[in-house]
Amino acid sequence: MTTTTNTATNTAPVPTTVAQPPPRTGARHGPSTLRHGATLAWRGLVKTVHSPEALIDVTLQPVIFLLLFVYVFGGAIAGDTSAYLQFALPGVLVQTVIFASAGTGTGLADDLHTGIFDRFRSLPISRAAPLLGAIGADLARYATSGVIMLVFGTILGFRTSAGPLAIVAALLLVMAFAFALCWVFTALAMLVKDPRSVQGLGALISLPLTFGSNVFVPASTMPGWLQGWVDVNPVSKTADAVRGLLLGGPVAGPAGTALLWAAGITLVFAPIAVTLYRRRT
Amino acid sequence: MAAPPPTVVAMNEPAIRVEGLVKTFGATTALAGVDLEVRRGSVLGLLGPNGSGKTTTVRVLSTLLRPDGGRATVLGHDVVADAPAVRLRIGLTGQYAAVDDALSGVENLRLIGRLLDLSRRDARRRTDELIERFGLAEAAGRRVKTYSGGMRRRLDLAASLVGRPDVLFLDEPTTGLDPRHRNEVWEHVRALAAEGTTVLLTTQYLEEADQLAEDLVVLDHGEVIASGTPASLKADVGGQLLHVRPLHRADVGAVATLLGELTAETPAIDPTGELTLSGTPALLHRLGVRLEEDGVPVAELGLRLPSLDDVFLTLTGRPAEAGPATEEAA
C-alpha cells in the first residue's frame, strides 16, 4: 500500500527540463563510440593544456632533447654540432614520440587509480571510448611534439631537402610507430596498477629501445652483438626511414620494415591491452 | 505534459531489487547472499562496518562489478544482462571523489554532459544549473586540484546528477568530511529525495543513516543482519537503555557482575568501557544505590532511548565504527 503513495510522490515532481538526455537505444556501437572517444580525447587535451607538467612534456621536452644531444654530444660524435644536428634530428624525433607514447600508459594507470574510470563505466558509453579517447589525445600530442621538434630544429639550423608531403609522411610514420608502442604501454598500465611503477617500467622499455638504436650514433662504432640488436631494432628502421624522407636516401626499405614492425607490435599488443583493459574495467 | 516513463516497469516494482547476491574475490566472500529492496522514491541506508560488503553491493548495482551469484535489477533492468539500460538511469558518487583533478569544475560537468549525449548547449545549461545548485559558482573555472574536500564532494555529487538519474548511488558520501560539509551534503541528499530520486546510500555513520534514510539494511560480513526503519530497529533493541560508565576501567568487570545480579542480563560493553542494557527508572535507582554502597565511582549513569549505535552493538556484539573488533575480523 505504501508503495503506491511513494510512486505517486515520485512521478509528480520529476522536472521536465530541456536538458533531459534523449532516450538512446542503439547508442552502444559505431558512431557514438567514436563521438564519445572524441569527447574523451578532448578531455585529454584540455588536461594537457591545463597542467604545466604535461604541457612541458609535450613542448619543452623535444627542445631540451635536441639542445642536449646536439650541443653536448654533437661535437664529440660528429666533430661538428651542425653536422650532428642533421644526423640526429630525425632520430631524436622518433625518440621524443616514443617517450611521449610511454605517457599513455601512465595516464591510463592514473585514471584507473583515481576512480574516474568508475565514473565513465557507470555512464551509458562504450567501454572502448575511454581507451580510444586516451589514444586519440596522445596522437595529437605526438604530432604537436613532432612539429615543435621540426620547427625548433630548423631554427637551430636543420635543413631538409624534403617537400611538405615528405615531411608529413615522416611525421605520420613516427606517429604510426608510437601508436603501435602505446599498446605496449597500455598493456603495461593494465598489469601494473600503480602509475609510478608504470612510468618506471615504461622507461625500462623506452630507454634500450631508443638508445640501443642508430638514433644518436651510427651503429658501426658498436660491438658486434649490439649491432645485431641495433639492426633489427624497429627504432633504427623508423629513424632510417625518417632520415631518408627528410634528408634524401633510401625510404621504401626502412619504411616498409618500420611499418611491418608497427603492424606486428599492434597485432600482438593491442589484443592483449584490450583484453586486460576489459578485465580491469 | 507528463511524459510516460521511458521503460515500462510496474509501478509497484521496487526501484532496486536484489536477490541472493553473491560476490567473491579469491578466497574472500564479499557478499554471501544479500537480499534487499529499495522502494521507488525512497532513501535506503546500507549500513555496516568496513569490509561488510556495502561498496561491493553498490559496485554490482551500478554495473561496475559482475556478481558471482544471485540477481539484481534496477528499475526492472537486470544489472548484468541489461547493464546499458541500467547505466542510462543511474548516477554514482563513489567513495573516492571521481572527478578529474586537472579539469575545472565546469569542464568536468560538461564532459559528463557530452558523454551523456547532451548537445553542447544543453550540456552548458545543465552544468550552469548544477554549479549554481551546489554553490560552486565561485570555483567553477578553477582546476579541481585546488578544491577543498567538501567542494570536491559537491562536484562529485553534481557530476552524478548531470543525466538526471532516477536512481542515485552514494557510496559513503561524507566519509572524511567535517561536520559542516557533512551537513551540506545531507541537505543536498534530502533535496534530491524530495524531488523523487531513489537513493541508495552506504555509510558507516549511524547518525547519517538515521538522518537521511527511511529504510535501513545492516550488513555484516557480506550478509544482511537486520533491516527495517530506523524506528523499528531501535524498537527491536527495546525501550529505554540504561548506560553506565565507571570512572575507572578496572571496575568494568565488577559493574557487569552487579548488573547481572540485578537483572539476570548481560550488558553490552563498548570500547570506552560503557556498559549498556535495557533498563527502567527502578533499575537505575537500584543500581545507583548499589554502586554507592560498593563505593564504585561512576563517570556516567543514566537512561536514554537507543541510538543506531546501540542497534549495531546489539546485533553484532561489537560497535559500528572501526574499533578493536575489526582486528579479529581480519
Side-chain angles (χ1 to χ4, degrees):
Chain A
M1 302 301 114
T2 40
T3 21
T4 346
T5 41
N6 254 301
T7 45
T9 50
N10 181 16
T11 41
V14 168
T16 40
T17 326
V18 260
Q20 190 83 38
R24 281 148 290 147
T25 41
R28 298 284 80 58
H29 308 288
S32 74
T33 303
L34 285 180
R35 193 174 62 246
H36 296 147
T39 302
L40 287 163
W42 166 83
R43 160 192 176 243
L45 291 176
V46 171
K47 252 174 109 98
T48 306
V49 174
H50 275 350
S51 89
E53 319 86 73
L55 200 59
I56 282 171
D57 251 15
V58 176
T59 56
L60 225 52
Q61 187 161 304
V63 169
I64 288 169
F65 275 161
L66 204 58
L67 285 175
L68 282 180
F69 285 115
V70 170
Y71 294 105
V72 176
F73 298 120
I77 297 170
D80 164 19
T81 53
S82 61
Y84 188 64
L85 176 63
Q86 289 295 110
F87 171 80
L89 185 131
V92 180
L93 181 66
V94 179
Q95 186 216 20
T96 306
V97 174
I98 288 173
F99 277 29
S101 76
T104 309
T106 320
L108 278 171
D110 220 30
D111 276 352
L112 286 171
H113 195 69
T114 55
I116 192 133
F117 261 56
D118 282 352
R119 162 86 66 212
F120 294 153
R121 290 175 50 222
S122 73
L123 295 174
I125 62 172
S126 139
R127 224 148 256 212
L131 196 59
L132 279 180
I135 290 169
D138 280 331
L139 284 174
R141 275 191 280 264
Y142 306 159
T144 312
S145 287
V147 169
I148 287 177
M149 162 96 34
L150 282 176
V151 169
F152 189 66
T154 308
I155 296 171
L156 292 184
F158 178 78
R159 290 298 169 258
T160 170
S161 55
L165 265 183
I167 293 176
V168 170
L171 277 175
L172 286 178
L173 185 69
V174 172
M175 284 169 68
F177 188 64
F179 173 77
L181 275 187
C182 85
W183 291 111
V184 178
F185 295 116
T186 301
L188 189 70
M190 297 302 138
L191 280 175
V192 191
K193 289 142 201 185
D194 173 46
R196 265 184 224 166
S197 319
V198 173
Q199 197 162 24
L201 287 170
L204 224 58
I205 296 173
S206 50
L207 285 175
L209 212 52
T210 52
F211 283 90
S213 75
N214 64 12
V215 160
F216 303 108
V217 182
S220 52
T221 61
M222 300 176 192
W225 59 268
L226 188 54
Q227 279 191 34
W229 160 242
V230 169
D231 277 346
V232 294
N233 186 346
V235 174
S236 303
K237 298 296 170 199
T238 312
D240 278 343
V242 174
R243 281 191 193 109
L245 282 163
L246 295 182
L247 304 172
V251 172
T257 318
L259 285 175
L260 274 179
W261 265 108
I265 293 171
T266 308
L267 279 176
V268 174
F269 283 94
I272 295 177
V274 170
T275 309
L276 290 171
Y277 172 80
R278 284 186 163 274
R279 194 170 306 163
R280 277 295 306 281
T281 61
Chain B
M1 198 66 205
T7 36
V8 187
V9 180
M11 277 323 226
N12 55 359
E13 168 80 13
I16 299 172
R17 187 197 287 277
V18 174
E19 288 164 352
L21 209 58
V22 175
K23 180 71 196 177
T24 54
F25 298 104
T28 316
T29 303
L31 299 179
V34 168
D35 298 287
L36 61 87
E37 279 185 11
V38 186
R39 292 175 296 124
R40 291 190 155 222
S42 72
V43 179
L44 179 109
L46 197 54
L47 205 57
N50 274 327
S52 57
K54 304 186 301 288
T55 296
T56 307
T57 305
V58 167
R59 291 180 69 84
V60 168
L61 289 175
S62 55
T63 76
L64 300 182
L65 266 184
R66 267 170 176 272
D68 297 318
R71 69 187 288 269
T73 58
V74 174
L75 298 166
H77 303 290
D78 188 281
V79 295
V80 177
D82 214 2
V86 173
R87 292 186 193 125
L88 278 171
R89 309 286 297 277
I90 62 167
L92 169 67
T93 293
Q95 206 170 131
Y96 306 99
V99 283
D100 197 327
D101 264 355
L103 300 182
S104 70
V106 166
E107 284 162 347
N108 264 290
L109 297 183
R110 283 191 194 161
L111 172 70
I112 306 288
R114 296 292 287 154
L115 290 175
L116 287 167
D117 290 341
L118 298 186
S119 71
R120 243 173 253 284
R121 214 188 55 181
D122 285 346
R124 187 166 301 155
R125 189 175 301 173
R126 183 70 179 137
T127 296
D128 293 346
E129 279 170 26
L130 288 166
I131 289 282
E132 170 77 36
R133 173 169 188 172
F134 286 90
L136 291 165
E138 194 193 317
R142 280 198 345 238
R143 284 168 70 183
V144 172
K145 198 173 255 184
T146 65
Y147 281 26
S148 70
M151 286 157 71
R152 286 180 70 98
R153 216 55 81 93
R154 284 186 340 247
L155 179 65
D156 196 28
L157 194 52
S160 63
L161 296 176
V162 173
R164 301 180 187 281
D166 300 309
V167 175
L168 185 62
F169 296 104
L170 303 174
D171 189 14
E172 304 204 3
T174 63
T175 298
L177 291 186
D178 60 42
R180 187 167 66 89
H181 290 127
R182 183 172 298 171
N183 272 318
E184 279 174 11
V185 171
W186 286 355
E187 282 310 313
H188 288 299
V189 174
R190 286 195 192 103
L192 285 164
E195 288 165 22
T197 309
T198 305
V199 178
L200 189 153
L201 158 111
T202 78
T203 183
Q204 296 187 55
Y205 304 122
L206 296 149
E207 189 198 351
E208 184 160 284
D210 209 3
Q211 287 276 339
L212 297 176
E214 297 145 60
D215 298 298
L216 295 179
V217 168
V218 185
L219 282 184
D220 196 30
H221 299 301
E223 286 180 67
V224 174
I225 55 169
S227 57
T229 62
S232 75
L233 287 182
K234 287 180 193 168
D236 286 350
V237 178
Q240 288 186 323
L241 285 178
L242 181 144
H243 63 108
V244 51
R245 192 156 60 83
L247 189 59
H248 305 298
R249 258 323 209 345
D251 290 335
V252 169
V255 176
T257 315
L258 182 54
L259 281 168
E261 265 175 46
L262 290 172
T263 65
E265 271 184 60
T266 319
I269 304 171
D270 85 355
T272 68
E274 188 181 66
L275 301 93
T276 322
L277 81 177
S278 56
T280 57
L283 177 64
L284 179 68
H285 176 72
R286 277 189 290 150
L287 180 65
V289 171
R290 286 295 300 273
L291 288 170
E292 181 80 41
E293 286 170 9
D294 297 358
V296 180
V298 177
E300 284 176 38
L301 172 63
L303 286 176
R304 62 155 190 245
L305 287 170
S307 69
L308 280 171
D309 281 294
D310 301 314
V311 173
F312 202 85
L313 193 62
T314 312
L315 288 169
T316 65
R318 59 202 164 80
E321 272 174 76
T326 38
E327 280 154 39
E328 62 194 61

